[in-house]
Amino acid sequence: MMQEFLDNLFETRKPPLYSVSSVPAGFRYWFLKLLNCMLSMFEYENLPEGMTSRDLELCFLLQGYATPFETEKGIVCVPTSIYGYNANGKPTKAVYGNPLIPSKRLYFEGERKNSVLMYNIQLHNNIFFTEVDGSFRPMLCRYARRLADIESTESAYTVKLRMGSAPVAGDDAVNASIKNWIRKVMRGDLEGTIADDAVLNSFRSVDVGLGSGNKETLMSIQAARDKILEQFFRELGVKTSNAKKAQITEEESSADEQLLLMSPSIIEQERQLGLEDFNDFFKTNAKVRLNPIFNRENFIEGSVKNGRKSSEEI
């Protein structure tokens, strides 16, 4: 029983391998990894019972707004579709589809008001009545795709290093046999052989031309991945350390810090404004603050604050 459980858990009988050139698998991995990181960017206090920061943040990050409303089970926050724009370009209604919650229409103003509309960023999901995406989904997709491309390139390159030559087939039968052999090589089975005489007679190889710069090429691919991750965290206001970076002037350093602080502070401000409406309507005292890990003000050069050294940087 335990062995069967372990076999299923680790899939030892069928290794969970995917093609090294499979960008979709890498995209899914990086999208979820980056999304998980962003879910911890803000900390909430005094939320109504049953509602979590994850409920709010998933709506903020993936659809650009949150529309909490009250049900028999308490205040909930689920994905909705907003519509009914007024003269000022603000949506007045929303609908949702959830099999566990009785369906009803949500209103953000007037006598029938039963929900509040809270935005992710100042873009507010529309420009002059034209819908725009105010979520972080496009950013997550762009970075996940770039990281998946780089990871695929790195994986394909390391597999390529296992062979000194590339096989070339003369017909379909030979091609099928060689493909099967290459699959074994990709899984790390270097003892796989081709024993069919017909295949051997039709088989030839072409030098792939790997020179002595393999190590440098692999390191440059890995450096590109690290650079993309650095750019992602920089957009979130997280400063990264670079020991090899040349000295910069005090003015450049100040401008750099201001740019880093701008992004998270604006996002935090929108959440605070939304919570003001939330607290006023639902008679609560919910609060939000930027997670100290993402707060640059907690890391002062040459000092220690909140029990952590200022050199602690992502």
Side-chain angles (χ1 to χ4, degrees), residues 13 17 33 51 94 107 150-151 187 207 220 226 273 290:
R13 295 176 183 175
L17 294 177
K33 190 176 183 70
M51 176 180 283
Y107 298 91
I150 292 174
E151 184 182 63
R187 293 197 300 265
D207 184 15
S220 67
D226 294 343
L273 289 174
L290 187 67

Side-chain angles (χ1 to χ4, degrees), residues 14 22 42 127 182 231:
K14 290 185 178 180
S22 177
F42 293 95
I127 299 177
I182 290 178
Q231 292 174 357

Side-chain angles (χ1 to χ4, degrees), residues 43-92:
E43 297 178 342
Y44 291 80
E45 297 178 0
N46 304 327
L47 287 176
E49 184 178 356
M51 176 180 283
T52 66
S53 60
R54 182 178 182 273
D55 299 331
L56 286 170
E57 285 301 312
L58 278 176
C59 288
F60 282 136
L61 297 176
L62 298 182
Q63 68 177 15
Y65 58 88
T67 56
F69 59 95
E70 195 163 6
T71 68
E72 295 179 354
K73 297 181 180 181
I75 301 175
V76 299
C77 187
V78 298
T80 60
S81 296
I82 53 178
Y83 68 103
Y85 291 88
N86 61 22
N88 296 320
K90 298 179 180 179
T92 60

